[in-house]
Each structure stands twice: as structure tokens, then as C-alpha cells.
PDB file of all heavy atoms in Angstrom:
ATOM      1  N   LYS A   1     -12.786   0.983  -8.953  1.00 87.00           N
ATOM      2  CA  LYS A   1     -13.411   2.277  -9.214  1.00 87.00           C
ATOM      3  C   LYS A   1     -12.580   3.455  -8.688  1.00 87.00           C
ATOM      4  O   LYS A   1     -13.013   4.598  -8.773  1.00 87.00           O
ATOM      5  CB  LYS A   1     -14.814   2.317  -8.604  1.00 87.00           C
ATOM      6  CG  LYS A   1     -15.783   1.340  -9.271  1.00 87.00           C
ATOM      7  CD  LYS A   1     -17.195   1.496  -8.737  1.00 87.00           C
ATOM      8  CE  LYS A   1     -18.150   0.555  -9.452  1.00 87.00           C
ATOM      9  NZ  LYS A   1     -19.544   0.703  -8.958  1.00 87.00           N
ATOM     10  N   HIS A   2     -11.422   3.150  -8.136  1.00 84.00           N
ATOM     11  CA  HIS A   2     -10.554   4.203  -7.616  1.00 84.00           C
ATOM     12  C   HIS A   2      -9.447   4.544  -8.612  1.00 84.00           C
ATOM     13  O   HIS A   2      -9.184   3.796  -9.562  1.00 84.00           O
ATOM     14  CB  HIS A   2      -9.921   3.762  -6.293  1.00 84.00           C
ATOM     15  CG  HIS A   2     -10.867   3.791  -5.126  1.00 84.00           C
ATOM     16  ND1 HIS A   2     -11.237   4.945  -4.496  1.00 84.00           N
ATOM     17  CD2 HIS A   2     -11.523   2.784  -4.496  1.00 84.00           C
ATOM     18  CE1 HIS A   2     -12.072   4.668  -3.513  1.00 84.00           C
ATOM     19  NE2 HIS A   2     -12.268   3.365  -3.486  1.00 84.00           N
ATOM     20  N   SER A   3      -8.768   5.649  -8.371  1.00 82.00           N
ATOM     21  CA  SER A   3      -7.632   6.042  -9.198  1.00 82.00           C
ATOM     22  C   SER A   3      -6.450   5.111  -8.942  1.00 82.00           C
ATOM     23  O   SER A   3      -6.460   4.331  -7.981  1.00 82.00           O
ATOM     24  CB  SER A   3      -7.215   7.486  -8.880  1.00 82.00           C
ATOM     25  OG  SER A   3      -6.699   7.551  -7.550  1.00 82.00           O
ATOM     26  N   ILE A   4      -5.420   5.210  -9.783  1.00 82.00           N
ATOM     27  CA  ILE A   4      -4.242   4.356  -9.624  1.00 82.00           C
ATOM     28  C   ILE A   4      -3.589   4.591  -8.267  1.00 82.00           C
ATOM     29  O   ILE A   4      -3.195   3.640  -7.582  1.00 82.00           O
ATOM     30  CB  ILE A   4      -3.224   4.617 -10.761  1.00 82.00           C
ATOM     31  CG1 ILE A   4      -3.812   4.154 -12.100  1.00 82.00           C
ATOM     32  CG2 ILE A   4      -1.909   3.893 -10.479  1.00 82.00           C
ATOM     33  CD1 ILE A   4      -2.931   4.432 -13.291  1.00 82.00           C
ATOM     34  N   GLY A   5      -3.482   5.844  -7.854  1.00 80.00           N
ATOM     35  CA  GLY A   5      -2.892   6.150  -6.553  1.00 80.00           C
ATOM     36  C   GLY A   5      -3.686   5.574  -5.407  1.00 80.00           C
ATOM     37  O   GLY A   5      -3.129   5.037  -4.445  1.00 80.00           O
ATOM     38  N   GLN A   6      -5.011   5.672  -5.493  1.00 81.00           N
ATOM     39  CA  GLN A   6      -5.864   5.124  -4.447  1.00 81.00           C
ATOM     40  C   GLN A   6      -5.791   3.599  -4.413  1.00 81.00           C
ATOM     41  O   GLN A   6      -5.832   2.988  -3.353  1.00 81.00           O
ATOM     42  CB  GLN A   6      -7.305   5.593  -4.650  1.00 81.00           C
ATOM     43  CG  GLN A   6      -7.506   7.069  -4.375  1.00 81.00           C
ATOM     44  CD  GLN A   6      -8.876   7.559  -4.790  1.00 81.00           C
ATOM     45  OE1 GLN A   6      -9.424   7.143  -5.810  1.00 81.00           O
ATOM     46  NE2 GLN A   6      -9.450   8.450  -3.998  1.00 81.00           N
ATOM     47  N   ARG A   7      -5.674   2.994  -5.593  1.00 84.00           N
ATOM     48  CA  ARG A   7      -5.522   1.530  -5.651  1.00 84.00           C
ATOM     49  C   ARG A   7      -4.225   1.115  -4.973  1.00 84.00           C
ATOM     50  O   ARG A   7      -4.182   0.128  -4.229  1.00 84.00           O
ATOM     51  CB  ARG A   7      -5.526   1.052  -7.104  1.00 84.00           C
ATOM     52  CG  ARG A   7      -6.843   1.210  -7.828  1.00 84.00           C
ATOM     53  CD  ARG A   7      -6.724   0.709  -9.256  1.00 84.00           C
ATOM     54  NE  ARG A   7      -7.773   1.260 -10.091  1.00 84.00           N
ATOM     55  CZ  ARG A   7      -7.875   1.035 -11.393  1.00 84.00           C
ATOM     56  NH1 ARG A   7      -6.954   0.288 -12.005  1.00 84.00           N
ATOM     57  NH2 ARG A   7      -8.850   1.572 -12.088  1.00 84.00           N
ATOM     58  N   ALA A   8      -3.160   1.861  -5.264  1.00 84.00           N
ATOM     59  CA  ALA A   8      -1.865   1.549  -4.648  1.00 84.00           C
ATOM     60  C   ALA A   8      -1.964   1.677  -3.131  1.00 84.00           C
ATOM     61  O   ALA A   8      -1.451   0.841  -2.389  1.00 84.00           O
ATOM     62  CB  ALA A   8      -0.785   2.480  -5.195  1.00 84.00           C
ATOM     63  N   SER A   9      -2.636   2.720  -2.665  1.00 82.00           N
ATOM     64  CA  SER A   9      -2.812   2.922  -1.233  1.00 82.00           C
ATOM     65  C   SER A   9      -3.574   1.764  -0.619  1.00 82.00           C
ATOM     66  O   SER A   9      -3.198   1.233   0.434  1.00 82.00           O
ATOM     67  CB  SER A   9      -3.560   4.232  -0.981  1.00 82.00           C
ATOM     68  OG  SER A   9      -3.785   4.415   0.409  1.00 82.00           O
ATOM     69  N   ALA A  10      -4.646   1.342  -1.281  1.00 84.00           N
ATOM     70  CA  ALA A  10      -5.456   0.234  -0.767  1.00 84.00           C
ATOM     71  C   ALA A  10      -4.653  -1.060  -0.687  1.00 84.00           C
ATOM     72  O   ALA A  10      -4.744  -1.805   0.287  1.00 84.00           O
ATOM     73  CB  ALA A  10      -6.687   0.032  -1.651  1.00 84.00           C
ATOM     74  N   LEU A  11      -3.846  -1.312  -1.708  1.00 83.00           N
ATOM     75  CA  LEU A  11      -3.062  -2.547  -1.739  1.00 83.00           C
ATOM     76  C   LEU A  11      -1.968  -2.539  -0.669  1.00 83.00           C
ATOM     77  O   LEU A  11      -1.716  -3.558  -0.020  1.00 83.00           O
ATOM     78  CB  LEU A  11      -2.444  -2.750  -3.125  1.00 83.00           C
ATOM     79  CG  LEU A  11      -3.443  -3.092  -4.235  1.00 83.00           C
ATOM     80  CD1 LEU A  11      -2.753  -3.118  -5.590  1.00 83.00           C
ATOM     81  CD2 LEU A  11      -4.114  -4.447  -3.965  1.00 83.00           C
ATOM     82  N   VAL A  12      -1.334  -1.375  -0.467  1.00 84.00           N
ATOM     83  CA  VAL A  12      -0.320  -1.278   0.583  1.00 84.00           C
ATOM     84  C   VAL A  12      -0.958  -1.505   1.951  1.00 84.00           C
ATOM     85  O   VAL A  12      -0.430  -2.232   2.798  1.00 84.00           O
ATOM     86  CB  VAL A  12       0.403   0.085   0.536  1.00 84.00           C
ATOM     87  CG1 VAL A  12       1.299   0.247   1.759  1.00 84.00           C
ATOM     88  CG2 VAL A  12       1.241   0.202  -0.731  1.00 84.00           C
ATOM     89  N   LEU A  13      -2.115  -0.878   2.179  1.00 82.00           N
ATOM     90  CA  LEU A  13      -2.815  -1.051   3.459  1.00 82.00           C
ATOM     91  C   LEU A  13      -3.262  -2.495   3.641  1.00 82.00           C
ATOM     92  O   LEU A  13      -3.262  -3.023   4.756  1.00 82.00           O
ATOM     93  CB  LEU A  13      -4.014  -0.106   3.527  1.00 82.00           C
ATOM     94  CG  LEU A  13      -3.683   1.381   3.655  1.00 82.00           C
ATOM     95  CD1 LEU A  13      -4.942   2.218   3.546  1.00 82.00           C
ATOM     96  CD2 LEU A  13      -2.987   1.652   4.986  1.00 82.00           C
ATOM     97  N   PHE A  14      -3.650  -3.144   2.532  1.00 83.00           N
ATOM     98  CA  PHE A  14      -4.040  -4.553   2.595  1.00 83.00           C
ATOM     99  C   PHE A  14      -2.860  -5.406   3.038  1.00 83.00           C
ATOM    100  O   PHE A  14      -2.997  -6.298   3.889  1.00 83.00           O
ATOM    101  CB  PHE A  14      -4.552  -5.017   1.231  1.00 83.00           C
ATOM    102  CG  PHE A  14      -4.886  -6.479   1.168  1.00 83.00           C
ATOM    103  CD1 PHE A  14      -6.029  -6.972   1.769  1.00 83.00           C
ATOM    104  CD2 PHE A  14      -4.047  -7.367   0.497  1.00 83.00           C
ATOM    105  CE1 PHE A  14      -6.334  -8.326   1.719  1.00 83.00           C
ATOM    106  CE2 PHE A  14      -4.341  -8.708   0.442  1.00 83.00           C
ATOM    107  CZ  PHE A  14      -5.497  -9.198   1.051  1.00 83.00           C
ATOM    108  N   ILE A  15      -1.693  -5.130   2.473  1.00 84.00           N
ATOM    109  CA  ILE A  15      -0.484  -5.869   2.853  1.00 84.00           C
ATOM    110  C   ILE A  15      -0.161  -5.628   4.326  1.00 84.00           C
ATOM    111  O   ILE A  15       0.155  -6.553   5.074  1.00 84.00           O
ATOM    112  CB  ILE A  15       0.709  -5.451   1.972  1.00 84.00           C
ATOM    113  CG1 ILE A  15       0.478  -5.916   0.524  1.00 84.00           C
ATOM    114  CG2 ILE A  15       2.022  -6.029   2.510  1.00 84.00           C
ATOM    115  CD1 ILE A  15       1.476  -5.350  -0.459  1.00 84.00           C
ATOM    116  N   LEU A  16      -0.267  -4.370   4.756  1.00 82.00           N
ATOM    117  CA  LEU A  16       0.053  -4.027   6.143  1.00 82.00           C
ATOM    118  C   LEU A  16      -0.918  -4.660   7.129  1.00 82.00           C
ATOM    119  O   LEU A  16      -0.577  -4.886   8.286  1.00 82.00           O
ATOM    120  CB  LEU A  16       0.038  -2.507   6.325  1.00 82.00           C
ATOM    121  CG  LEU A  16       1.100  -1.711   5.564  1.00 82.00           C
ATOM    122  CD1 LEU A  16       0.924  -0.224   5.817  1.00 82.00           C
ATOM    123  CD2 LEU A  16       2.506  -2.136   5.965  1.00 82.00           C
ATOM    124  N   SER A  17      -2.133  -4.956   6.666  1.00 80.00           N
ATOM    125  CA  SER A  17      -3.149  -5.490   7.578  1.00 80.00           C
ATOM    126  C   SER A  17      -3.029  -6.995   7.799  1.00 80.00           C
ATOM    127  O   SER A  17      -3.727  -7.549   8.655  1.00 80.00           O
ATOM    128  CB  SER A  17      -4.549  -5.180   7.027  1.00 80.00           C
ATOM    129  OG  SER A  17      -4.816  -5.944   5.855  1.00 80.00           O
ATOM    130  N   GLN A  18      -2.174  -7.664   7.030  1.00 79.00           N
ATOM    131  CA  GLN A  18      -2.044  -9.116   7.157  1.00 79.00           C
ATOM    132  C   GLN A  18      -1.356  -9.479   8.466  1.00 79.00           C
ATOM    133  O   GLN A  18      -0.162  -9.282   8.634  1.00 79.00           O
ATOM    134  CB  GLN A  18      -1.263  -9.686   5.972  1.00 79.00           C
ATOM    135  CG  GLN A  18      -1.877  -9.385   4.621  1.00 79.00           C
ATOM    136  CD  GLN A  18      -3.323  -9.816   4.522  1.00 79.00           C
ATOM    137  OE1 GLN A  18      -3.628 -11.008   4.588  1.00 79.00           O
ATOM    138  NE2 GLN A  18      -4.234  -8.868   4.392  1.00 79.00           N
ATOM    139  N   LYS A  19      -2.124 -10.003   9.405  1.00 79.00           N
ATOM    140  CA  LYS A  19      -1.624 -10.255  10.756  1.00 79.00           C
ATOM    141  C   LYS A  19      -0.593 -11.388  10.816  1.00 79.00           C
ATOM    142  O   LYS A  19       0.193 -11.472  11.749  1.00 79.00           O
ATOM    143  CB  LYS A  19      -2.801 -10.594  11.684  1.00 79.00           C
ATOM    144  CG  LYS A  19      -3.880  -9.523  11.740  1.00 79.00           C
ATOM    145  CD  LYS A  19      -3.352  -8.208  12.257  1.00 79.00           C
ATOM    146  CE  LYS A  19      -4.464  -7.171  12.378  1.00 79.00           C
ATOM    147  NZ  LYS A  19      -3.985  -5.861  12.829  1.00 79.00           N
ATOM    148  N   LYS A  20      -0.614 -12.274   9.817  1.00 81.00           N
ATOM    149  CA  LYS A  20       0.292 -13.427   9.853  1.00 81.00           C
ATOM    150  C   LYS A  20       1.709 -13.060   9.425  1.00 81.00           C
ATOM    151  O   LYS A  20       2.641 -13.835   9.643  1.00 81.00           O
ATOM    152  CB  LYS A  20      -0.249 -14.551   8.963  1.00 81.00           C
ATOM    153  CG  LYS A  20      -1.555 -15.156   9.465  1.00 81.00           C
ATOM    154  CD  LYS A  20      -2.010 -16.290   8.568  1.00 81.00           C
ATOM    155  CE  LYS A  20      -3.312 -16.915   9.064  1.00 81.00           C
ATOM    156  NZ  LYS A  20      -3.770 -18.010   8.182  1.00 81.00           N
ATOM    157  N   ASN A  21       1.871 -11.906   8.802  1.00 81.00           N
ATOM    158  CA  ASN A  21       3.194 -11.507   8.322  1.00 81.00           C
ATOM    159  C   ASN A  21       3.998 -10.826   9.428  1.00 81.00           C
ATOM    160  O   ASN A  21       3.521  -9.887  10.051  1.00 81.00           O
ATOM    161  CB  ASN A  21       3.064 -10.538   7.137  1.00 81.00           C
ATOM    162  CG  ASN A  21       2.421 -11.189   5.934  1.00 81.00           C
ATOM    163  OD1 ASN A  21       2.566 -12.377   5.718  1.00 81.00           O
ATOM    164  ND2 ASN A  21       1.704 -10.402   5.148  1.00 81.00           N
ATOM    165  N   ASN A  22       5.215 -11.311   9.673  1.00 88.00           N
ATOM    166  CA  ASN A  22       6.085 -10.621  10.640  1.00 88.00           C
ATOM    167  C   ASN A  22       7.247  -9.916   9.947  1.00 88.00           C
ATOM    168  O   ASN A  22       8.105  -9.346  10.590  1.00 88.00           O
ATOM    169  CB  ASN A  22       6.600 -11.595  11.701  1.00 88.00           C
ATOM    170  CG  ASN A  22       7.358 -12.765  11.099  1.00 88.00           C
ATOM    171  OD1 ASN A  22       7.734 -12.751   9.935  1.00 88.00           O
ATOM    172  ND2 ASN A  22       7.564 -13.794  11.901  1.00 88.00           N
ATOM    173  N   LEU A  23       7.261  -9.974   8.603  1.00 91.00           N
ATOM    174  CA  LEU A  23       8.244  -9.243   7.806  1.00 91.00           C
ATOM    175  C   LEU A  23       7.544  -8.688   6.574  1.00 91.00           C
ATOM    176  O   LEU A  23       6.946  -9.439   5.801  1.00 91.00           O
ATOM    177  CB  LEU A  23       9.401 -10.150   7.387  1.00 91.00           C
ATOM    178  CG  LEU A  23      10.404  -9.553   6.389  1.00 91.00           C
ATOM    179  CD1 LEU A  23      11.100  -8.336   6.987  1.00 91.00           C
ATOM    180  CD2 LEU A  23      11.415 -10.598   5.941  1.00 91.00           C
ATOM    181  N   ILE A  24       7.598  -7.365   6.408  1.00 91.00           N
ATOM    182  CA  ILE A  24       6.969  -6.722   5.255  1.00 91.00           C
ATOM    183  C   ILE A  24       7.987  -5.821   4.583  1.00 91.00           C
ATOM    184  O   ILE A  24       8.583  -4.957   5.226  1.00 91.00           O
ATOM    185  CB  ILE A  24       5.729  -5.912   5.685  1.00 91.00           C
ATOM    186  CG1 ILE A  24       4.646  -6.851   6.253  1.00 91.00           C
ATOM    187  CG2 ILE A  24       5.168  -5.109   4.508  1.00 91.00           C
ATOM    188  CD1 ILE A  24       3.423  -6.136   6.768  1.00 91.00           C
ATOM    189  N   ILE A  25       8.210  -6.039   3.284  1.00 91.00           N
ATOM    190  CA  ILE A  25       9.163  -5.248   2.498  1.00 91.00           C
ATOM    191  C   ILE A  25       8.397  -4.482   1.427  1.00 91.00           C
ATOM    192  O   ILE A  25       7.654  -5.082   0.649  1.00 91.00           O
ATOM    193  CB  ILE A  25      10.234  -6.149   1.844  1.00 91.00           C
ATOM    194  CG1 ILE A  25      10.971  -6.967   2.915  1.00 91.00           C
ATOM    195  CG2 ILE A  25      11.220  -5.312   1.038  1.00 91.00           C
ATOM    196  CD1 ILE A  25      11.938  -7.992   2.342  1.00 91.00           C
ATOM    197  N   ILE A  26       8.576  -3.162   1.387  1.00 90.00           N
ATOM    198  CA  ILE A  26       7.860  -2.326   0.421  1.00 90.00           C
ATOM    199  C   ILE A  26       8.870  -1.438  -0.302  1.00 90.00           C
ATOM    200  O   ILE A  26       9.679  -0.755   0.331  1.00 90.00           O
ATOM    201  CB  ILE A  26       6.786  -1.465   1.111  1.00 90.00           C
ATOM    202  CG1 ILE A  26       5.745  -2.384   1.777  1.00 90.00           C
ATOM    203  CG2 ILE A  26       6.103  -0.538   0.109  1.00 90.00           C
ATOM    204  CD1 ILE A  26       4.659  -1.645   2.507  1.00 90.00           C
ATOM    205  N   ASP A  27       8.803  -1.448  -1.634  1.00 91.00           N
ATOM    206  CA  ASP A  27       9.758  -0.701  -2.454  1.00 91.00           C
ATOM    207  C   ASP A  27       9.117   0.577  -2.991  1.00 91.00           C
ATOM    208  O   ASP A  27       8.167   0.526  -3.775  1.00 91.00           O
ATOM    209  CB  ASP A  27      10.219  -1.592  -3.614  1.00 91.00           C
ATOM    210  CG  ASP A  27      11.283  -0.921  -4.476  1.00 91.00           C
ATOM    211  OD1 ASP A  27      11.913   0.036  -3.992  1.00 91.00           O
ATOM    212  OD2 ASP A  27      11.468  -1.356  -5.629  1.00 91.00           O
ATOM    213  N   GLN A  28       9.622   1.710  -2.568  1.00 89.00           N
ATOM    214  CA  GLN A  28       9.240   3.029  -3.046  1.00 89.00           C
ATOM    215  C   GLN A  28       7.727   3.259  -3.150  1.00 89.00           C
ATOM    216  O   GLN A  28       7.188   3.470  -4.233  1.00 89.00           O
ATOM    217  CB  GLN A  28       9.900   3.306  -4.406  1.00 89.00           C
ATOM    218  CG  GLN A  28      11.401   3.444  -4.296  1.00 89.00           C
ATOM    219  CD  GLN A  28      12.063   3.898  -5.586  1.00 89.00           C
ATOM    220  OE1 GLN A  28      13.231   3.661  -5.797  1.00 89.00           O
ATOM    221  NE2 GLN A  28      11.335   4.567  -6.464  1.00 89.00           N
ATOM    222  N   PRO A  29       7.029   3.225  -2.033  1.00 86.00           N
ATOM    223  CA  PRO A  29       5.579   3.459  -2.069  1.00 86.00           C
ATOM    224  C   PRO A  29       5.231   4.861  -2.552  1.00 86.00           C
ATOM    225  O   PRO A  29       4.128   5.093  -3.047  1.00 86.00           O
ATOM    226  CB  PRO A  29       5.159   3.258  -0.607  1.00 86.00           C
ATOM    227  CG  PRO A  29       6.391   3.528   0.190  1.00 86.00           C
ATOM    228  CD  PRO A  29       7.518   3.006  -0.652  1.00 86.00           C
ATOM    229  N   GLU A  30       6.179   5.793  -2.437  1.00 85.00           N
ATOM    230  CA  GLU A  30       5.906   7.174  -2.846  1.00 85.00           C
ATOM    231  C   GLU A  30       5.723   7.321  -4.355  1.00 85.00           C
ATOM    232  O   GLU A  30       5.270   8.361  -4.839  1.00 85.00           O
ATOM    233  CB  GLU A  30       7.021   8.115  -2.376  1.00 85.00           C
ATOM    234  CG  GLU A  30       8.370   7.932  -3.052  1.00 85.00           C
ATOM    235  CD  GLU A  30       9.256   6.904  -2.357  1.00 85.00           C
ATOM    236  OE1 GLU A  30       8.742   6.136  -1.514  1.00 85.00           O
ATOM    237  OE2 GLU A  30      10.455   6.867  -2.664  1.00 85.00           O
ATOM    238  N   ASP A  31       6.075   6.278  -5.136  1.00 85.00           N
ATOM    239  CA  ASP A  31       5.899   6.352  -6.583  1.00 85.00           C
ATOM    240  C   ASP A  31       4.431   6.545  -6.951  1.00 85.00           C
ATOM    241  O   ASP A  31       4.108   7.143  -7.977  1.00 85.00           O
ATOM    242  CB  ASP A  31       6.430   5.077  -7.254  1.00 85.00           C
ATOM    243  CG  ASP A  31       7.956   5.039  -7.271  1.00 85.00           C
ATOM    244  OD1 ASP A  31       8.572   6.045  -6.872  1.00 85.00           O
ATOM    245  OD2 ASP A  31       8.517   4.006  -7.666  1.00 85.00           O
ATOM    246  N   ASP A  32       3.527   5.991  -6.142  1.00 82.00           N
ATOM    247  CA  ASP A  32       2.105   6.067  -6.447  1.00 82.00           C
ATOM    248  C   ASP A  32       1.282   6.748  -5.364  1.00 82.00           C
ATOM    249  O   ASP A  32       0.080   6.948  -5.540  1.00 82.00           O
ATOM    250  CB  ASP A  32       1.542   4.650  -6.669  1.00 82.00           C
ATOM    251  CG  ASP A  32       2.169   3.956  -7.865  1.00 82.00           C
ATOM    252  OD1 ASP A  32       2.071   4.508  -8.968  1.00 82.00           O
ATOM    253  OD2 ASP A  32       2.766   2.882  -7.688  1.00 82.00           O
ATOM    254  N   LEU A  33       1.906   7.080  -4.235  1.00 82.00           N
ATOM    255  CA  LEU A  33       1.152   7.651  -3.116  1.00 82.00           C
ATOM    256  C   LEU A  33       1.632   9.063  -2.807  1.00 82.00           C
ATOM    257  O   LEU A  33       2.830   9.333  -2.814  1.00 82.00           O
ATOM    258  CB  LEU A  33       1.317   6.783  -1.863  1.00 82.00           C
ATOM    259  CG  LEU A  33       0.999   5.288  -2.010  1.00 82.00           C
ATOM    260  CD1 LEU A  33       1.250   4.584  -0.689  1.00 82.00           C
ATOM    261  CD2 LEU A  33      -0.436   5.082  -2.458  1.00 82.00           C
ATOM    262  N   ASP A  34       0.693   9.961  -2.498  1.00 81.00           N
ATOM    263  CA  ASP A  34       1.101  11.308  -2.119  1.00 81.00           C
ATOM    264  C   ASP A  34       1.443  11.343  -0.635  1.00 81.00           C
ATOM    265  O   ASP A  34       1.167  10.403   0.116  1.00 81.00           O
ATOM    266  CB  ASP A  34       0.020  12.334  -2.461  1.00 81.00           C
ATOM    267  CG  ASP A  34      -1.314  12.060  -1.771  1.00 81.00           C
ATOM    268  OD1 ASP A  34      -1.312  11.652  -0.591  1.00 81.00           O
ATOM    269  OD2 ASP A  34      -2.357  12.266  -2.407  1.00 81.00           O
ATOM    270  N   ASN A  35       2.044  12.450  -0.194  1.00 82.00           N
ATOM    271  CA  ASN A  35       2.520  12.565   1.186  1.00 82.00           C
ATOM    272  C   ASN A  35       1.404  12.468   2.217  1.00 82.00           C
ATOM    273  O   ASN A  35       1.600  11.960   3.318  1.00 82.00           O
ATOM    274  CB  ASN A  35       3.277  13.886   1.371  1.00 82.00           C
ATOM    275  CG  ASN A  35       4.711  13.794   0.867  1.00 82.00           C
ATOM    276  OD1 ASN A  35       5.343  12.758   0.965  1.00 82.00           O
ATOM    277  ND2 ASN A  35       5.205  14.885   0.317  1.00 82.00           N
ATOM    278  N   GLN A  36       0.232  12.975   1.859  1.00 83.00           N
ATOM    279  CA  GLN A  36      -0.884  12.927   2.811  1.00 83.00           C
ATOM    280  C   GLN A  36      -1.289  11.490   3.093  1.00 83.00           C
ATOM    281  O   GLN A  36      -1.514  11.111   4.245  1.00 83.00           O
ATOM    282  CB  GLN A  36      -2.076  13.720   2.262  1.00 83.00           C
ATOM    283  CG  GLN A  36      -3.235  13.805   3.267  1.00 83.00           C
ATOM    284  CD  GLN A  36      -4.371  14.651   2.750  1.00 83.00           C
ATOM    285  OE1 GLN A  36      -4.422  14.993   1.577  1.00 83.00           O
ATOM    286  NE2 GLN A  36      -5.295  15.002   3.632  1.00 83.00           N
ATOM    287  N   VAL A  37      -1.379  10.690   2.041  1.00 83.00           N
ATOM    288  CA  VAL A  37      -1.729   9.278   2.208  1.00 83.00           C
ATOM    289  C   VAL A  37      -0.629   8.551   2.968  1.00 83.00           C
ATOM    290  O   VAL A  37      -0.904   7.744   3.863  1.00 83.00           O
ATOM    291  CB  VAL A  37      -1.974   8.606   0.839  1.00 83.00           C
ATOM    292  CG1 VAL A  37      -2.098   7.092   0.989  1.00 83.00           C
ATOM    293  CG2 VAL A  37      -3.227   9.169   0.190  1.00 83.00           C
TER     294      VAL A  37
END
């Protein structure tokens, strides 16, 4: 029910919240996220 940008933000935060991961690689998050987010 969220916009594409909000979905991207939620998915990035979901990835960041995974406690078992000790290596996280993210490619150009700014493509879908604004500076405030």
C-alpha cells in the first residue's frame, strides 16, 4: 500500500535489520530513496 520509494525504503531497512548478516552490499539506494529517508 506504499509508494515505490517507500517500498524501497522498507526493503532496505528490512535487509539492514537482519542480525545474522555480517556483510551487506547495497547498490545505489538513492535511485528510489530521497535524501530525507
Side-chain angles (χ1 to χ4, degrees):
K1 294 185 178 181
H2 285 283
S3 67
I4 293 177
Q6 290 171 322
R7 292 180 200 177
S9 178
L11 290 174
V12 171
L13 290 173
F14 176 74
I15 292 170
L16 295 178
S17 70
Q18 302 306 295
K19 303 299 183 182
K20 294 182 180 179
N21 296 329
N22 58 14
L23 172 62
I24 296 177
I25 303 174
I26 298 179
D27 183 19
Q28 292 188 203
E30 68 272 14
D31 286 354
D32 297 302
L33 307 179
D34 59 39
N35 279 326
Q36 185 177 13
V37 170

